[in-house]
Amino acid sequence: AAGVIQSPRHLIKEKRETATLKCYPIPRHDTVYWYQQGPGQDPQFLISFYEKMQSDKGSIPDRFSAQQFSDYHSELNMSSLELGDSALYFCASSLIGGTGGRNTIYFGEGSWLTVV
Amino acid sequence: GESVGLHLPTLSVQEGDNSIINCAYSNSASDYFIWYKQESGKGPQFIIDIRSNMDKRQGQRVTVLLNKTVKHLSLQIAATQPGDSAVYFCAENYWRGYQKVTFGIGTKLQVIP
């Protein structure tokens, strides 16, 4: 079965640079979530999109932005990178429509961002 | 979820024994719960879920128990195997016009051969 696809898997950037992460949800899923996970920490919710509209916002820095496109893929843009942004970034997807939001969220394998 | 930094709660279990991992959730309005397993450097992998109208759900070697009175969730793994070694997260989900999912603090399961 198709899973959530993230790219790139690994990314190294210097401080103050910009990075873009991409996420391709499971086909027919209408909701995308972004999470950030630091070493030894639980995933922290950043932002989510339902049907291409932002549905919820968590602890996403103002330097970060995201969007969901017409084909449902999503991109997380991170600017003015700081050392503390080094983390594993997960994208997840689920199918909400008509289910009252009780559907499993499936995660991708993550994108490792290292800021040096 | 609140981070515990580098010191995740750790559960050490002998291979073949049963494991019980506990989780406290925060929102009494949460109506759907998921357990995830995360191996090092990989994404969280779905294990089992349970809706709030149930107290117990069984899968293959895993059982989830839900106690809504005290907002507590547990994951029981029968006959724990070395491949079960990972960090386990519970996630609570509630609907507020959109799906809101919050992770609990993970528990690191170490299986001793």
Side-chain angles (χ1 to χ4, degrees):
Chain A
V4 178
I5 306 297
Q6 291 187 244
S7 68
R9 293 297 314 279
H10 300 272
L11 191 59
I12 299 174
K13 290 285 186 178
E14 294 188 353
K15 283 193 305 184
R16 293 178 288 279
E17 282 192 322
T18 297
T20 298
L21 306 180
K22 295 186 179 182
C23 169
Y24 296 85
I26 292 172
R28 294 186 298 280
H29 279 193
D30 52 21
T31 303
V32 165
Y33 311 79
W34 285 98
Y35 287 83
Q36 177 192 59
Q37 188 177 31
Q41 299 181 6
D42 50 296
Q44 295 291 313
F45 172 70
L46 293 178
I47 195 166
S48 64
F49 293 87
Y50 168 63
E51 285 291 345
K52 293 155 280 184
M53 298 287 290
Q54 181 181 311
S55 54
D56 194 13
K57 195 171 182 180
S59 52
I60 184 169
D62 291 339
R63 299 177 289 108
F64 292 10
S65 65
Q67 61 182 121
Q68 187 179 29
F69 295 86
S70 58
D71 64 351
Y72 291 92
H73 94 272
S74 178
E75 294 184 5
L76 177 66
N77 298 295
M78 299 174 284
S79 62
S80 303
L81 287 169
E82 302 172 357
L83 296 177
D85 295 328
S86 295
L88 188 55
Y89 290 82
F90 289 109
C91 174
S93 74
S94 68
L95 175 63
I96 297 295
T99 66
R102 299 185 192 87
N103 267 318
T104 302
I105 295 178
Y106 294 93
F107 284 78
E109 289 301 312
S111 293
W112 281 100
L113 171 66
T114 302
V115 181
V116 297
Chain B
E2 196 174 307
S3 167
V4 291
L6 297 175
H7 302 288
L8 283 170
T10 299
L11 175 66
S12 295
V13 175
Q14 205 72 35
E15 181 179 357
D17 286 352
N18 296 334
S19 304
I20 299 177
I21 300 171
N22 296 303
C23 176
Y25 64 93
S26 58
N27 192 331
S28 57
S30 294
D31 58 2
Y32 176 55
F33 305 87
I34 310 168
W35 277 101
Y36 288 95
K37 172 186 179 183
Q38 187 177 24
E39 296 174 275
S40 181
K42 294 188 175 181
Q45 179 185 6
F46 170 84
I47 301 174
I48 192 168
D49 58 2
I50 188 168
R51 298 187 190 282
S52 60
N53 60 352
M54 301 172 70
D55 297 322
K56 179 179 179 179
R57 189 164 189 224
Q58 287 184 294
Q60 188 178 16
R61 281 203 309 120
V62 294
T63 300
V64 55
L65 298 177
L66 174 63
N67 185 330
K68 295 182 287 293
T69 303
V70 295
K71 293 189 285 187
H72 182 268
L73 204 62
S74 69
L75 177 71
Q76 300 178 2
I77 304 174
T80 312
Q81 302 169 0
D84 295 327
S85 295
V87 176
Y88 289 81
F89 292 97
C90 70
E92 61 178 301
N93 172 104
Y94 57 93
W95 181 252
R96 42 194 273 190
Y98 50 87
Q99 190 172 12
K100 178 83 174 178
V101 178
T102 305
F103 281 84
I105 296 170
T107 296
K108 184 175 181 180
L109 177 64
Q110 288 182 329
V111 181
I112 304 165

